[in-house]
Amino acid sequence: MLQYVGFALYVIYKGFPSPVSFALGIAPTPNEPHLLALGFVAGSLSFGGAYTSIPVIQAEAVVLGGWLSQRVFLDCIAIGNVLPAPLVIFATFVGFQGGYIYGGLGSAFTGAILITLGIFMPCFIFTIAGHELLEKLVRNKVTTSLNQH
């Protein structure tokens, strides 16, 4: 509820945020380190749903970076929706396009792999880092007795 109130206050006093406000400036050029970082940031946000990563990648690649046209970005989203895979797989195509623009076909495959690794890395990091805590929670006698009632 606080998030909605905070957003409403922001809109009242500052106006509706522009698409550039989603951009962090982490991918001004689509080279390998920037694509990996963009994937990592978008993957960190995708815990709220895959749709939360779309405006971040769009702001970086289309609006702020300008290395991808809006039409090609929409093609990335369309391919991600057609494939029987998680929606965030559209980032693989974004990485391919960015790598191709930056350094040709070899960089295109590298960019696709790196942004895909970056976008799925937070899922594995958070799962591995929080595994022990979650196991303690499952074995907790108080939690177990509450679940049985």
Side-chain angles (χ1 to χ4, degrees):
M1 190 67 170
L2 274 170
Q3 291 174 335
Y4 294 119
V5 171
F7 184 73
L9 289 172
Y10 183 87
V11 170
I12 290 169
Y13 291 108
K14 298 277 188 176
F16 200 80
S18 71
V20 181
S21 67
F22 289 113
L24 300 173
I26 54 176
T29 56
N31 59 13
E32 288 84 4
H34 289 134
L35 289 173
L36 180 66
L38 178 59
F40 188 77
V41 168
S44 298
L45 296 174
S46 70
F47 283 97
Y51 290 106
T52 58
S53 61
I54 293 173
V56 173
I57 294 177
Q58 180 185 20
E60 293 290 334
V62 178
V63 179
L64 192 62
W67 46 267
L68 206 59
S69 69
Q70 183 68 26
R71 184 186 66 77
V72 172
F73 184 78
L74 291 175
D75 289 343
C76 297
I77 300 294
I79 288 174
N81 280 313
V82 169
L83 294 174
L87 178 62
V88 293
I89 207 68
F90 82 92
T92 303
F93 192 57
V94 171
F96 182 87
Q97 290 292 323
Y100 186 74
I101 290 167
Y102 181 72
L105 196 57
S107 292
F109 285 108
T110 304
I113 290 168
L114 287 176
I115 200 167
T116 304
L117 285 174
I119 209 158
F120 285 110
M121 199 181 318
C123 300
F124 293 109
I125 290 173
F126 292 149
T127 303
I128 292 168
H131 176 73
E132 190 174 327
L133 177 66
L134 288 174
E135 285 296 320
K136 285 181 183 178
L137 184 64
V138 168
R139 286 189 220 116
N140 188 344
K141 291 180 182 181
V142 174
T143 308
T144 308
S145 66
L146 288 175
N147 288 334
Q148 290 176 355
H149 294 293

